Amino acid sequence: MIVMRLFLRASLLAAIATCAAISVAGQSAPATPLRLVAPTGARTIPTVMSGDTELVAFDDLAALFGLTVREDTVAHALTVTANGKTIVLSQNQALASISGRLVSLPAPPVKTNGRWYVPVEFIGRALSVISNVPIELRKSSRLVLQGSIRAPRVVVRHDVGGNQARVTIDVTPRTPHQVQQDGARAIVRFDADLIDLNVTPFQSQGIVLSIAVGEDQKSVVLALGPKFGSLRAADSPSDPDGTRITLDLFTAPDQTAPPSTSTQPGPVPPLPEPVFPAPGIKTIVIDPGHGGDETGAKGAKGTLEKNVTLSVARRLKSSLEARLGARVLLTRVADGAVGPDERAAVANNNKADLFISLHANASLRKSASGAQVFYLNLDQAGEEARQVAQSEGVAMPVFGGGTRDIDVILWEMAQARHIDQSAALAAVVEQQLRTVLPMNPQAVQQAPFRVLVGANMPAVLVEMGYLTNTSQEAQLAGGEFQARIATALTEAIVRFFSAPPPAAPPRAAIPPPAAGTAR
């Protein structure tokens, strides 16, 4: 098993942007509370922000989940006990030990004004392990689900074309539902306790005015506009365990909806039939950069990076599925916020064979142009990082003093084991993009992008062009240019897997973040 020394020197930690101990005293700010939903009702969990880290107080968690928290001043550690199970945390380490199993945290626990705080990810990564009932943290939705709560994720997208609108509703996991029309509303009711709804913003064209969650928290309600005439609904399965509900809404006679001027990603055109199967490729994860409040780069005409990346990702997903027959997952399927560690976690949790993060660039120099491909750079760490990723054990404190060694791979060093493969992938992607796109003079580069750090497979980040360049903004916003990018990336992936570089060392388990936009 690959092992890692915990106490890396400071320069290595800085190079790979790991989380250091933080102080919240005098620097914290209230954040939007989490909403705890349990069979007994709903309650709030207050949180505070310290820099980029969201924290929750241990005493609040103790009151809500029946925890016992004890401080050991000798070992500089904490124990959190519930249901006869114990979590051990060290004041100086971003790790939690649960019966010898290590789980990574964004930052160590900290103490201020007599209260202990821990990153909110502790709820999903550690607290859920010692609980007698399921606990799930959905940080981007501000939800904590406790017990047998049925809360399917419901992602809604609205597209307009000609005299109709299409509302696509992706539901995970598969959940019984009914579609009804009630006067000036269309309602999709789910057999659930609540739904976790994410609606991609859209500009109404008079058929659908708005889309929102119903008062019962179990339904999606479409407010129908004056141009609405009729409705047709259809279901189809979606990967891996979901359902896609497609609502086609047609205009009334003699009503024609004008073309959409929205900058949101539009429908994906049909793609060619598979050319050949690729049985060795199981899963590919595509990461549309940014999302939600993180809009990314913005062009002079208002084109947003988050919309371009999602549109290209959808095209690429369809292209790869048709060409390779592979399982292709997106780290986000709508305009929602996803943290950099969450993006890599999607790839790790699904044992992906490849990870590609899509972005659009920006520069103060308006003439800057061309696509670029990046793979991870460990700066001065270099060969030392590779060696550390296969070196010794970490020392966790033992109560009463002393330490013991535990084998572990740190999340922050996962990509170090795949640098050679990632470099080969970057070269192939650059060569293929060059056949259809303008490339930057520095087309292949290394950089310490956080989104690549935790990926436990070959991984690259693609900057598709510059939104701050007027001509490239027009290209990136267009469907033809986006289709060329998707086609070139598909060809690059085919080439990469047809002649793969030497295999990386066997994968060991990595404690992946379950929650938590940076390149």
Side-chain angles (χ1 to χ4, degrees):
M1 178 181 181
I2 307 297
V3 293
M4 168 65 79
R5 186 190 306 276
L6 179 63
F7 298 106
L8 302 173
R9 71 184 197 197
S11 61
L12 177 59
L13 290 175
I16 60 177
T18 55
C19 294
I22 60 175
S23 172
V24 299
Q27 301 179 27
S28 60
T32 303
L34 298 170
R35 183 184 177 210
L36 172 64
V37 181
T40 55
R43 288 164 288 180
T44 60
I45 305 177
T47 65
V48 296
M49 294 298 301
S50 180
D52 294 331
T53 305
E54 186 176 7
L55 306 173
V56 59
F58 264 126
D59 51 2
D60 288 335
L61 294 180
L64 290 169
F65 297 101
L67 308 178
T68 300
V69 181
R70 183 167 62 92
E71 179 180 1
D72 187 314
T73 56
V74 176
H76 301 289
L78 297 172
T79 55
V80 181
T81 305
N83 307 308
K85 304 173 185 177
T86 299
I87 302 172
V88 179
L89 301 106
S90 171
Q91 186 174 350
N92 300 314
Q93 297 175 359
L95 293 170
S97 175
I98 311 169
S99 301
R101 171 192 169 195
L102 288 186
V103 176
S104 66
L105 298 173
V110 294
K111 187 176 184 180
T112 182
N113 298 326
R115 301 183 77 189
W116 279 101
Y117 290 81
V118 73
V120 296
E121 287 80 3
F122 174 85
I123 298 172
R125 301 183 199 176
L127 190 55
S128 61
V129 178
I130 67 171
S131 174
N132 285 339
V133 298
I135 296 177
E136 180 183 0
L137 171 67
R138 298 186 185 178
K139 186 178 177 182
S140 60
S141 303
R142 313 307 297 163
L143 283 174
V144 177
L145 306 178
Q146 181 183 24
S148 54
I149 297 296
R150 297 169 301 160
R153 301 177 190 266
V154 180
V155 178
V156 183
R157 187 174 78 251
H158 172 281
D159 298 301
V160 175
N163 63 345
Q164 74 176 87
R166 170 168 288 184
V167 175
T168 305
I169 305 175
D170 289 311
V171 186
T172 309
R174 224 168 264 128
T175 304
H177 59 274
Q178 294 180 332
V179 180
Q180 302 171 335
Q181 184 180 342
D182 179 13
R185 301 188 304 166
I187 305 173
V188 185
R189 302 185 188 277
F190 293 91
D191 182 11
D193 297 300
L194 74 157
I195 60 173
D196 182 356
L197 181 64
N198 186 314
V199 180
T200 300
F202 67 95
Q203 186 177 51
S204 173
Q205 301 297 316
I207 303 175
V208 178
L209 299 180
S210 65
I211 303 173
V213 66
E215 292 183 2
D216 60 359
Q217 300 295 309
K218 306 175 185 179
S219 58
V220 177
V221 178
L222 283 66
L224 304 176
K227 294 184 179 181
F228 170 76
S230 60
L231 167 67
R232 182 178 65 198
D235 289 3
S236 61
S238 62
D239 184 60
D241 181 33
T243 299
R244 170 164 289 184
I245 306 167
T246 303
L247 304 180
D248 287 317
L249 302 101
F250 302 92
T251 58
D254 300 323
Q255 295 277 7
T256 302
S260 172
T261 58
S262 171
T263 60
Q264 299 300 319
V268 177
L271 286 135
E273 294 298 317
V275 176
F276 64 88
I281 307 172
K282 296 180 181 179
T283 301
I284 297 171
V285 170
I286 308 301
D287 171 43
H290 302 275
D293 293 336
E294 283 285 344
T295 60
K298 182 178 180 179
K301 294 185 178 180
T303 305
L304 299 180
E305 179 181 0
K306 67 174 183 177
N307 295 335
V308 173
T309 60
L310 183 56
S311 183
V312 174
R314 288 173 178 163
R315 295 173 185 272
L316 181 56
K317 171 180 166 68
S318 298
S319 177
L320 289 170
E321 289 172 339
R323 180 72 184 270
L324 300 177
R327 178 186 182 218
V328 183
L329 303 176
L330 303 185
T331 58
R332 65 179 179 94
V333 296
D335 185 24
V338 184
D341 286 340
E342 290 181 88
R343 297 170 190 267
V346 171
N348 292 341
N349 292 341
N350 287 279
K351 300 181 179 179
D353 301 291
L354 209 65
F355 178 82
I356 296 182
S357 186
L358 300 177
H359 290 266
N361 222 329
S363 174
L364 294 175
R365 187 165 52 89
K366 303 301 182 183
S367 60
S369 66
Q372 294 174 285
V373 186
F374 293 86
Y375 63 101
L376 188 65
N377 176 25
L378 298 175
D379 292 339
Q380 286 83 16
E383 186 59 33
E384 180 182 348
R386 302 168 190 261
Q387 296 172 0
V388 171
Q390 305 179 41
S391 61
E392 303 174 13
V394 305
M396 284 295 288
V398 176
F399 273 68
T403 61
R404 62 189 178 96
D405 291 335
I406 299 176
D407 291 343
V408 66
I409 281 184
L410 285 185
W411 174 265
E412 291 81 2
M413 289 306 300
Q415 181 59 198
R417 305 168 58 247
H418 299 276
I419 290 296
D420 291 341
Q421 287 183 310
S422 296
L425 174 61
V428 173
V429 169
E430 183 272 335
Q431 292 168 10
Q432 203 62 45
L433 286 176
R434 188 175 292 279
T435 64
V436 296
L437 304 178
M439 299 298 294
N440 188 276
Q442 296 177 309
V444 177
Q445 295 191 54
Q446 287 183 270
F449 289 142
R450 178 67 191 182
V451 72
L452 299 177
V453 168
N456 193 28
M457 71 287 299
V460 296
L461 185 148
V462 179
E463 295 279 9
M464 299 177 287
Y466 282 78
L467 284 175
T468 47
N469 181 298
T470 304
S471 61
Q472 285 217 302
E473 178 187 6
Q475 291 176 325
L476 287 166
E480 179 183 352
F481 194 81
Q482 293 177 3
R484 285 160 57 188
I485 295 173
T487 299
L489 289 174
T490 299
E491 294 298 330
I493 292 170
V494 169
R495 285 181 54 194
F496 178 76
F497 280 111
S498 65
R507 298 186 190 186
I510 297 177
T517 244
R519 287 175 171 83

